[in-house]
Amino acid sequence: MNQQFEQELQTSWQERQEFAERMLPLIGKLYRNHAVEISVYGRSLLNASAIDIIKAHRTVRLHEGIKLRLRESWPILEALSTMKLAPAEIDIGKLAFDFHYGTGVEQNDLHRYLEGQLSGVYNTDDNQAPRDVVLYGFGRIGRLLARLLIERQGKNNKLRLRAIVVRGGKEGDLEKRASLLRRDSVHGPFNGSITVDTERNAIKANGSFIQVIYANSPAEVDYTRYGIDNAIVVDNTGMWRDRDGLGLHLKAKGAAKVLLTAPGKGDIKNIVHGVNHGDIAENDTIMSAASCTTNAITPVLKALDEEFGIVSGHVETVHSYTNDQNLIDNFHKADRRGRSAPLNMVLTETGAAKAVAKAYPKLEGKLTGNAIRVPTPNVSLAILNLNLAAETDKLSVNEFLRNTSLFSSLQHQIDYTASTEIVSTDLVGTQAASVVDSQATIVAGNRVTLYLWYDNEFGYSCQVMRVIRDMAQLTVPTIPI
C-alpha cells in the first residue's frame, strides 16, 4: 500500500513537471511576440521556472478551496499561443478555474469561451508605438527598474531602456556599474547575460544595448546623439523634487517627460498606481511615483474607506534602513539618522501618512504617521491603526481584503497571505505594493489594526513601472479582473 501510494505521488509530480515544462516556451513566446504577460491568480509566470509554475498553481487551492491542475490550465495557454492578441495581462489560472468550475462549465467550446473573455484584445491590431526610457541615476531603484525593463525585452516590447545617466566616473566605473546590475546582495543575481562595451561606453544585457552617459546636470545631456528621442526620463536621484528642478530634464534634447521616484513637491502629481493613475493626462510632462510607503498603504486605505469608511487613523512604518543613513555614527542633518543603521532601531518621521491625501484626497487630515528604521536591508512593515465609521469583525475585514487582492482593480497593488509563519525575508521580490498579513489583523468594534508587508525596493519598482507605462500611454488590460 505504501509503495503504491509513493508511486502515485511520484507519477502525479512528474505529470505536473511535464506540463510546467511545456508551458515555459509558450509563456516566453506570448510575451516576446505579443507583449502578453501570463499569470496564475496574480502570480506572474514571466521568466518563471517550472517549479514556480507548479507553486503558483498550488496557491489556487488556498483561495478557492479546491486545486487547479496544470492539465486544466494547459489548454488555456495552448489556445492563447495560437491567437492573434494585443498586449495584455492574462490570468490563465482564473480563466481555467472559471471554465472548469464556474461560468464556463456549461460551455464545452474553449475557443468560444476565450473569445468572449478576451474581447478587446483578440483579433485586435496593436498600433501602440514603443517608447524610449532613460534612467537618470543608478542606485537601488534605478538598478531594479533596469532589471524589470531588460527582463522584458522582445521584438514587441513597448518600453525600451536606451540609456542610464550617472555622474562622471573614474576609471573602471563602467565595469562597476555593470557588476552592480549583475549581482545584488538582496535580490540575487540578474536573470540573464550582461557584458560591457568599453569602446562605446555601454552595457549589453539580454540583447539590449544600453548607453551609459556621464553628466553632472540633466540639462547638459543630448539624448538625440545616441538615437534616443521622445524619451521618458526616470529620475532616481531624488536631488530635484520640485517642478523647477525636475524641469531641467526637459531642457535635454530628446527628453519628453520626467518621472520622479520619490515624493514630488508643490503642484506635481503624486501617482499611486491603482488609486489615482487615472489623473495622468497626455500633456503631463513632470510626474512623481510618490514613496514606497505611500504606495504600500494608499491602495489598502482606499479599499477600506470605500467599503467601511475611515474616520481617523495612525500609520506606523517599521522600515528597513536606506542609503540615507550611516553605517556607523556620523553627522546627519536629520535627528537620530546619524546613528549607525545596522546597530540601531531609529525613531524618525515619515511624510507618507500626509502624502496619502495627494493620491486619495478623501483621507486628507484624517491620518497621522511616524517611522522606525530597523537593521534590515529590505522589506518593511506598515501598521495601520484605523477608526472605522461602523463596527465590523476580523473575518469580514480579512475576507474583503482577500477578495480585493484577487478580483478587483487593485489586484496588482494588494496581495494577501494567511500564513502564520511568514517573516520579512519571505517577501523579498514581492511585486505587489503591499501584502496583507491576515493572521495579524485585529478588530475591536470599529477599531482595526492591519499589518502590511512591502518590499520597499522591488514592490515599489513594480509600481513605478506601471506609472511609466501609463505615461507612455500604453494600454495593457488585465483579463479577467
Side-chain angles (χ1 to χ4, degrees), residues 23-43:
M23 287 180 172
L24 287 171
L26 297 190
I27 292 167
K29 177 184 173 184
L30 279 165
Y31 190 83
R32 309 306 166 198
N33 296 340
H34 304 287
V36 170
E37 187 165 348
I38 299 298
S39 63
V40 170
Y41 276 66
R43 301 289 189 270

Side-chain angles (χ1 to χ4, degrees), residues 162-237:
R162 299 295 308 281
I164 63 172
V165 184
V166 291
R167 282 177 288 189
K170 299 177 182 178
E171 185 178 352
D173 179 89
L174 188 61
E175 289 78 5
K176 290 285 188 182
R177 303 281 181 185
S179 179
L180 286 168
L181 179 60
R182 187 182 290 115
R183 307 174 182 88
D184 191 284
S185 301
V186 172
H187 300 281
F190 172 76
N191 186 20
S193 172
I194 295 175
T195 57
V196 173
D197 187 334
T198 53
E199 184 178 341
R200 291 185 287 185
N201 214 56
I203 294 173
K204 293 186 286 188
N206 289 11
S208 299
F209 182 86
I210 306 162
Q211 188 69 53
V212 178
I213 303 171
Y214 293 100
N216 294 316
S217 169
E220 70 182 49
V221 184
D222 181 357
Y223 295 112
T224 60
R225 284 183 53 198
Y226 309 99
I228 301 168
D229 197 19
N230 197 35
I232 297 174
V233 179
V234 185
D235 187 320
N236 305 292
T237 68

Side-chain angles (χ1 to χ4, degrees), residues 160-377:
R160 299 178 178 176
L161 176 57
R162 299 295 308 281
I164 63 172
V165 184
V166 291
R167 282 177 288 189
K170 299 177 182 178
E171 185 178 352
D173 179 89
L174 188 61
E175 289 78 5
K176 290 285 188 182
R177 303 281 181 185
S179 179
L180 286 168
L181 179 60
R182 187 182 290 115
R183 307 174 182 88
D184 191 284
S185 301
V186 172
H187 300 281
F190 172 76
N191 186 20
S193 172
I194 295 175
T195 57
V196 173
D197 187 334
T198 53
E199 184 178 341
R200 291 185 287 185
N201 214 56
I203 294 173
K204 293 186 286 188
N206 289 11
S208 299
F209 182 86
I210 306 162
Q211 188 69 53
V212 178
I213 303 171
Y214 293 100
N216 294 316
S217 169
E220 70 182 49
V221 184
D222 181 357
Y223 295 112
T224 60
R225 284 183 53 198
Y226 309 99
I228 301 168
D229 197 19
N230 197 35
I232 297 174
V233 179
V234 185
D235 187 320
N236 305 292
T237 68
M239 294 176 64
W240 305 278
R241 300 285 187 93
D242 58 17
R243 192 169 292 277
D244 289 341
L246 292 169
L248 295 172
H249 288 287
L250 299 178
K251 295 181 179 180
K253 292 181 180 179
K257 296 186 177 184
V258 184
L259 177 63
L260 171 66
T261 59
K265 296 181 179 179
D267 64 344
I268 294 175
K269 293 179 182 177
N270 283 251
I271 302 298
V272 174
H273 203 275
V275 176
N276 67 329
H277 61 279
D279 292 346
I280 300 175
E282 184 179 351
N283 61 351
D284 281 325
T285 55
I286 299 177
M287 310 287 293
S288 161
S291 72
C292 56
T293 302
T294 305
N295 274 269
I297 65 178
T298 307
V300 174
L301 288 167
K302 176 181 184 291
L304 288 172
D305 183 58
E306 291 178 344
E307 180 70 11
F308 300 101
I310 295 175
V311 177
S312 61
H314 177 80
V315 179
E316 194 73 30
T317 66
V318 183
H319 199 293
S320 296
Y321 57 68
T322 65
N323 280 334
D324 174 63
Q325 294 171 260
N326 296 325
L327 284 174
I328 57 175
D329 291 357
N330 207 344
F331 173 82
H332 195 295
K333 64 180 180 180
D335 295 343
R336 310 189 206 222
R337 288 203 189 187
R339 302 300 297 278
S340 173
L343 297 178
N344 294 291
M345 292 192 294
V346 179
L347 188 63
T348 184
E349 60 183 15
T350 177
K354 291 182 179 179
V356 168
K358 289 189 175 183
Y360 188 64
K362 285 183 65 178
L363 292 182
E364 185 171 6
K366 294 184 178 182
L367 301 174
T368 58
N370 222 11
I372 305 168
R373 295 290 181 95
V374 295
T376 57

Side-chain angles (χ1 to χ4, degrees), residues 45-90:
L45 301 186
L46 184 63
N47 295 317
S49 66
I51 298 300
D52 292 331
I53 294 174
I54 294 171
K55 288 167 68 176
H57 279 74
R58 290 193 65 180
T59 63
V60 177
R61 189 172 194 167
L62 299 175
H63 303 306
E64 302 290 1
I66 58 176
K67 66 172 67 174
L68 176 70
R69 297 169 177 84
L70 275 77
R71 64 172 176 265
E72 293 172 324
S73 60
W74 163 253
I76 303 285
L77 182 62
E78 188 178 34
L80 292 176
S81 70
T82 66
M83 293 179 166
K84 177 185 176 183
L85 299 170
E89 296 176 354
I90 301 178

